Amino acid sequence: MDAQALWLSVRLAAATTGALIVLGMPLAYWLGRSTRRWKVLVEAVVALPLVLPPTVLGFYVLVAVSPRSPIGRWYEALTGSRLPFTFGGLLVASVLYSLPFAVQPMAVAFGQVERRLLEASWTLGEGRLGTFARTVAPLALPGIVTGAVLAFAHTLGEFGVVLMVGGNIPGETRTVSISIYDHVQALDYAAAGETAALLLAVSFLVLAITYGLQRRAWAVWPGR
Amino acid sequence: MAGSLALDLERRYRGGAVVRAELEVPLEPAGVTVLFGPSGSGKTTILRCVAGLERPDAGAVRFADEVWSDAGSGRWVPPQRRRVGFLHQEPALFPHRTVRGNVAFGLRRVPRAERAERVEELLRRFGLSALAERRPGALSGGERQRVAVARALAPWPRLLLLDEPLSALDAPTREELRLELRRHLVAAGVPSLLVTHDRTEAMVLGDRIAVVVDGGIRQVGAVEEVFSRPADPEVARAVGVETVVAARVRERREGLLVLETHGRRLVALDPGVPGEEVLACIRAEEVVLRLTEPVAESARNHLPGTVSMIRREGPLERIILDCGFELAALVTPEARRELGLEPGRSVVAVVKAPAVHCIPRSAPPG
């Protein structure tokens, strides 16, 4: 088993989830509560990674962050390093790739918070941020947790995007799914099977725990 | 706190509906002003504009010497900074907080000790102490509405806005909560604006009433005045044609109530306690007019008076009598001719006791 690859995958998944909570939550809130008509366009863009082949997404990310592109040049000027075939590049690609998995459950949960609860909070003197923190976020917590867990599990298992943007550099971009692929290529079925089983078990456990927690969460808030 | 809440606003909806309101509500003494009118007349919109939950398209909302919204200058005070209490039709309690947590919600910036004291005081006042740790899902409809009122009053609002606060309740609970709510509103001493389409609710809860018809305010005045003397036929239709007069219960006799109003005695059938203030309501259809005092008759109320006004109302005619207070009677044109009813004519109004309907205005003392 490739412990280095597993550790890298966990780090990548955690960083991606963190980034998606910070960036995805405001986006999800807007998607869940806005009544603007052109919202559907944004919804479609967010959902693109669900249907796009990972290689296509990976290809565009690779082109976008290459040292010849404006983004790539700007990043290099800012940090002195490049994005393609690095952990940073992988993180950018993962955030985009897992965006719908995080944003969609959050947006649904935010959209289900009744408007009169927000109005009640406002008339009781609470501003928009306070209303979000004290009322919207706690009520939408199951959706937020679902989004975060799905993003984590999805990033843990990504393959195509990683290969396109990150390549296969041990300790830097070689994630656990790529290590499985390598083992199979080398006809080392035993090692591949071991890692695959571990990935399967971890994914199952994470999902089972999440759904179990949600059931409990609903039970203590009856009458919704 | 001197001054008034002054509205002069217009709200336009896609599809053409327009709500206009021009209203001045004195803040001193702190009474309950009822916005009364049929469903869809724009009452809720007016209330939401005052709360800052909706923006008027034209006009202004002023509270004492503050301008809350002014479409002309673009001035806008968000609901957070208006310090009003708002009650939705359905009590919008936070489902993830306990009763205590809900009541304490608006007191976040209040020092801990003072906050705890205020919350306890309100829980006690609203009879919620035993339910303090329950979540809204485990409460009955009436209990939920009590929590909502307590929560709205907790942060010392300067104005309380209530949108049909009892309409989500079943009839017995509504009945029970009506007088209780009136008592709480009077005790809180906060000027209140209350929306309702229920006549009884308007009479029990209101000190003043503003009648809203077709997106505009048509008449403003004391409750009995507006109900007894609607300004125009549309207001009359909205409030129902009825005589409403303030009275005091003098005594109970053989299961009947003897009321006193403007020096006259009225016998009614409703339950009541001596000393209580009530509004006595008499439907104009149930008033019989005759020219002479009857020698003996089953009807208990004989009220001599003079005709002060006659107005045509559909196939009938509405006769306004002055018999110490204003009493309306509906008669056919034929009857009017036979009795020779003209302004100034002396007649006797006859009303059976069960036709005098009493609405208590405040809870009995104690």
Side-chain angles (χ1 to χ4, degrees):
Chain A
M1 180 139 51
D2 193 339
Q4 195 187 35
L6 187 67
W7 174 231
L8 181 78
S9 279
V10 169
R11 259 166 55 218
L12 180 65
T16 304
T17 306
L20 278 172
I21 287 175
V22 174
L23 302 173
M25 230 155 52
L27 178 62
Y29 186 79
W30 183 80
L31 283 177
R33 301 216 66 96
S34 169
T35 50
R36 287 181 198 280
R37 265 181 245 174
W38 50 274
K39 185 176 87 170
V40 289
L41 299 179
V42 180
E43 279 177 317
V45 170
V46 170
L48 267 182
L50 290 176
V51 290
L52 226 48
T55 45
V56 173
L57 186 76
F59 170 74
Y60 281 121
V61 171
L62 189 61
V63 172
V65 302
S66 83
R68 266 167 301 177
S69 80
I71 300 174
R73 275 206 300 273
W74 171 79
Y75 185 82
E76 198 172 340
L78 204 72
T79 65
S81 62
R82 292 176 174 182
L83 278 173
F85 311 112
T86 63
F87 185 79
L90 221 50
L91 182 61
V92 171
S94 297
V95 165
L96 288 174
Y97 187 46
S98 292
L99 192 63
F101 290 87
V103 165
Q104 283 181 350
M106 292 183 193
V108 169
F110 289 147
Q112 277 170 350
V113 176
E114 289 169 74
R115 188 179 160 81
R116 57 201 166 91
L117 295 183
L118 307 195
E119 293 180 345
S121 170
W122 297 339
T123 54
L124 287 166
E126 201 57 82
R128 296 201 173 244
L129 267 180
T131 299
F132 181 83
R134 299 181 70 198
T135 303
V136 179
L139 289 174
L141 194 62
I144 296 172
V145 171
T146 304
V149 168
L150 286 180
F152 186 88
H154 188 241
T155 307
L156 209 58
E158 79 182 52
F159 178 75
V161 175
V162 177
L163 204 59
M164 291 297 283
V165 179
N168 188 358
I169 305 164
E172 178 73 23
T173 63
R174 184 178 146 133
T175 63
V176 71
S177 56
I178 291 185
S179 118
I180 294 172
Y181 180 72
D182 281 351
H183 287 314
V184 173
Q185 291 294 74
L187 296 177
D188 185 356
Y189 277 52
E194 228 174 78
T195 317
L198 182 75
L199 212 52
L200 178 66
V202 167
S203 301
F204 174 76
L205 264 179
V206 166
L207 292 175
I209 290 169
T210 314
Y211 289 128
L213 282 178
Q214 277 188 33
R215 175 158 305 195
R216 277 247 302 279
W218 290 116
V220 294
W221 298 342
R224 230 180 86 93
Chain B
M1 186 166 39
S4 63
L5 167 73
L7 318 176
D8 178 7
L9 58 87
E10 189 175 310
R11 176 94 171 86
R12 291 180 283 262
Y13 287 96
R14 237 180 291 167
V18 178
V19 173
R20 274 190 207 91
E22 214 187 311
L23 177 67
E24 193 162 347
V25 180
L27 302 173
E28 186 86 13
V32 180
T33 303
V34 170
L35 284 175
F36 179 85
S39 312
S41 57
K43 311 180 295 286
T44 296
T45 301
I46 298 170
L47 203 69
R48 292 175 62 83
C49 285
V50 176
L53 298 173
E54 264 179 65
R55 237 177 238 257
D57 295 294
V61 177
R62 289 189 181 79
F63 182 87
D65 52 0
E66 298 172 28
V67 179
W68 277 355
S69 84
D70 184 355
S73 69
R75 184 169 167 77
W76 174 255
V77 176
Q80 290 86 352
R81 286 196 271 115
R82 296 191 182 193
R83 281 191 52 212
V84 300
F86 190 91
L87 255 87
H88 289 81
Q89 231 175 82
E90 308 257 329
L93 299 182
F94 303 117
H96 58 301
R97 293 178 188 275
T98 59
V99 168
R100 187 190 303 280
N102 268 282
V103 174
F105 190 89
L107 300 169
R108 189 159 66 95
R109 288 173 191 84
V110 175
R112 184 186 291 261
E114 195 184 342
R115 177 172 57 205
E117 195 182 314
R118 176 73 174 161
V119 171
E120 288 316 314
E121 178 203 330
L122 282 158
L123 290 177
R124 230 182 0 257
R125 208 202 296 170
F126 283 81
L128 295 166
S129 300
L131 310 172
E133 306 311 324
R134 289 218 199 147
R135 287 181 205 277
L139 298 179
S140 73
E143 289 163 349
R144 264 182 240 173
Q145 199 52 276
R146 279 191 194 96
V147 177
V149 179
R151 182 181 68 178
L153 285 174
W156 299 277
R158 301 182 291 177
L159 178 70
L160 192 62
L161 304 168
L162 306 100
D163 186 6
E164 308 232 5
L166 303 175
S167 66
L169 304 171
D170 56 86
T173 315
R174 190 159 56 221
E175 200 102 324
E176 180 193 323
L177 219 58
R178 206 154 40 208
L179 275 175
E180 191 189 319
L181 181 60
R182 168 75 190 173
R183 208 172 59 227
H184 286 311
L185 292 181
V186 171
V190 179
S192 308
L193 201 56
L194 181 141
V195 158
T196 185
H197 65 261
D198 183 290
R199 296 163 42 83
T200 317
E201 218 167 288
M203 287 191 242
V204 173
L205 295 171
D207 296 302
R208 269 179 307 267
I209 181 166
V211 182
V212 185
V213 180
D214 289 337
I217 291 173
R218 292 302 186 79
Q219 189 178 359
V220 186
V223 170
E224 34 177 313
E225 178 193 317
V226 171
F227 275 92
S228 316
R229 289 193 291 278
D232 58 56
E234 277 180 306
V235 172
R237 211 170 13 252
V239 300
V241 183
E242 205 167 273
T243 296
V244 179
V245 60
R248 174 180 286 272
V249 180
R250 285 231 69 89
E251 55 175 327
R252 285 193 72 86
R253 206 166 51 196
E254 292 171 19
L256 296 176
L257 280 191
V258 180
L259 312 176
E260 188 177 274
T261 174
H262 299 89
R264 299 300 179 92
R265 286 155 76 87
L266 279 176
V267 179
L269 198 61
D270 284 308
V273 182
E276 199 180 18
E277 299 287 343
V278 297
L279 287 178
C281 307
I282 305 165
R283 297 193 69 85
E285 297 92 316
E286 312 208 21
V287 177
V288 174
L289 299 182
R290 48 185 299 163
L291 290 176
T292 52
E293 184 88 35
V295 183
E297 210 197 74
S298 65
R300 289 295 84 203
N301 296 299
H302 311 145
L303 303 158
T306 51
V307 176
S308 60
M309 198 173 83
I310 298 177
R311 192 164 68 196
R312 181 103 200 175
E313 210 154 87
L316 298 176
E317 294 191 22
R318 189 167 157 83
I319 316 284
I320 308 292
L321 297 182
D322 179 6
C323 48
F325 55 94
E326 276 192 357
L327 178 69
L330 272 180
V331 301
T332 58
E334 197 187 348
R336 178 179 61 77
R337 282 193 299 272
E338 267 183 41
L339 292 172
L341 294 179
E342 296 296 339
R345 178 96 169 153
S346 292
V347 289
V348 177
V350 178
V351 186
K352 297 172 87 169
V356 180
H357 178 50
C358 292
I359 296 177
R361 302 229 48 204
S362 52

